[in-house]
Each structure stands twice: as C-alpha cells, then as structure tokens.
Amino acid sequence: MRGREQMSQTFDITQHLAKEFARYVNRVQNDQVDILGSFLIESEWENYISDSKEVLQSLELAGFVIMPREPTNKMIEAADASLGSGLMGQRGAQNYITHVFNAMVDEYLGGYDTNLVLDIFSMAIARASDPKARNDTSGENTSYQRFRKQAQDVVAGIQKNGSIIAPDEATPEMIAKGVSETAENKTSASEQTGGNADYIASIYNNMVAARNEKSSN
C-alpha cells in the first residue's frame, strides 16, 4: 500500500496534461531521445496549465473524474470509517473494500463507451494547438476529430501513470457488480453489510471524494 500512496502523491494530473499539450503543440514524438523536444516541453508546459484545468473541468461536467486505479489508504479509510470496528476488523475491512472497489472499476472499464472522453480530450488539444478555436462558438467545428489519436495517447498516458478516468458516481452496472461480489464472498463483510445496493454505491462515491487526499504518513 505504501507504494500506491507514493505514486498517487507524485502524479500531478494538471502538470501531466499541461506537458501533454506542450508535447503535441511542439510535435515532439519522443522526448526521451529528442533533446530539443524535451527542452520545449519542460520550458513551455506552464503555458498550458489553463488548458489542463479546462479539460479537467470538462470531464467533471460530463460526470468523470481522474483517480488512482488502485485505491489509496485515504480512499479505503473514507469508504466506511465504521466498517473496521465491526465483525471483520481493520484488515478484513480493507481487503473487502479493495476487492469490491476493484470489481466495480473492472466492470466499468470493461464496457464503457470511450467516445465522449476522447471527444473532450480531442477538443482540448485542438484548442491548445489553435488558440483562435476558443472563439468558435458555432458548435459546428469538427476539426478536433483529427486529434483523435493524440487523445487516445493522452488517455493511455494517464493509465500508464496508474490512474483511470471513471464516473464520479457509481453506475447501476457497477453497483450490481459490487452487490454480487459481496454476495458471492461469504465472509463477515457480507454479513455486516448485507450487500445493500445503497451501501455499495456509498463505498464507491466516498472513495471518489477522497481520491486527492494525501496520506499523513
């Protein structure tokens, strides 16, 4: 768990996205071997912080959040503060919450439509590449679609850094998966929670709310 905490603390999504914008605007293919490209990214990424914040806001308005793929200690603690004092104990509560959370996330990632997320990133890259596009309020400009591949790369980069794009509230399918996982695992956890749908939803929603909290250790 300690490694997960360190990863979540060091990954700054705002900075990461700003550097991605700088990469695409400067047409840097591989900053590991392109010394000039690497310099441009490091020297210009702060110019794209506003673009980064805008795309994060767009994701939130669409009902998405970016959070760690593996739950942090703070997320687990926030899921249900009283669960560890019940029948299963602290370790049992952590294992149960982690298992249910991962099952719900796997259910979502296995079947969600990526088009809206990719559209949001494509439009953000288009705006960063052409500031004049910000003034286009016609709603008819579809030129952003040419940035689809770059948008896919951005999403892949987020996942590579141990994070995911997920709904800000548990979907019905995710809740059903969490309930079924609780029912299938005959432990003190299922006896204590009863596999209640509202309770399962609250576990996920509480963990999402705590996604950016840092460990005090």
Side-chain angles (χ1 to χ4, degrees):
M1 293 299 297
R2 186 176 181 82
R4 295 174 187 172
E5 287 292 345
Q6 291 175 340
M7 179 176 63
S8 66
Q9 290 181 22
T10 56
F11 181 55
D12 185 330
I13 185 60
T14 302
Q15 178 176 317
H16 173 79
L17 292 176
K19 288 187 175 182
E20 290 296 281
F21 289 133
R23 178 193 310 280
Y24 295 124
V25 170
N26 288 289
R27 295 181 172 84
V28 180
Q29 297 296 323
N30 187 343
D31 57 311
Q32 299 298 317
V33 297
D34 185 346
I35 297 177
L36 176 58
S38 177
F39 172 78
L40 289 173
I41 292 173
E42 292 302 322
S43 63
E44 295 185 9
W45 70 266
E46 291 183 343
N47 296 332
Y48 300 97
I49 289 179
S50 61
D51 295 281
S52 180
K53 291 181 177 179
E54 283 182 13
V55 74
L56 290 174
Q57 184 179 34
S58 295
L59 286 171
E60 290 180 3
L61 290 173
F64 297 103
V65 295
I66 296 178
M67 65 180 181
R69 174 62 182 85
E70 295 293 333
T72 64
N73 289 338
K74 283 294 185 180
M75 291 171 66
I76 293 174
E77 292 170 4
D80 182 354
S82 65
L83 194 59
S85 61
L87 296 173
M88 68 186 77
Q90 192 66 37
R91 182 175 294 276
Q94 290 179 348
N95 291 338
Y96 166 71
I97 290 169
T98 300
H99 178 76
V100 170
F101 175 83
N102 286 337
M104 295 173 75
V105 169
D106 286 342
E107 177 70 17
Y108 175 75
L109 294 177
Y112 85 106
D113 186 351
T114 61
N115 285 324
L116 178 55
V117 169
L118 292 177
D119 281 347
I120 290 172
F121 279 110
S122 296
M123 286 186 279
I125 296 171
R127 288 195 299 269
S129 302
D130 180 13
K132 293 180 180 179
R134 298 178 185 278
N135 300 322
D136 183 4
T137 59
S138 66
E140 300 176 357
N141 189 345
T142 59
S143 62
Y144 69 87
Q145 293 178 358
R146 71 181 187 274
F147 294 101
R148 197 72 163 187
K149 175 60 169 62
Q150 289 90 335
Q152 292 172 335
D153 291 342
V154 171
V155 173
I158 291 171
Q159 295 172 343
K160 184 178 180 181
N161 279 279
S163 293
I164 56 171
I165 301 170
D168 57 3
E169 294 184 352
T171 66
E173 294 78 12
M174 294 170 69
I175 295 171
K177 184 64 175 179
V179 170
S180 68
E181 286 295 316
T182 299
E184 290 174 7
N185 290 272
K186 302 298 183 181
T187 64
S188 54
S190 59
E191 295 176 8
Q192 188 170 342
T193 66
N196 179 274
D198 290 338
Y199 175 77
I200 295 298
S202 72
I203 284 181
Y204 177 85
N205 296 342
N206 290 341
M207 294 176 79
V208 167
R211 67 189 182 279
N212 293 325
E213 293 185 18
K214 293 179 172 57
S215 173
S216 57
N217 296 331

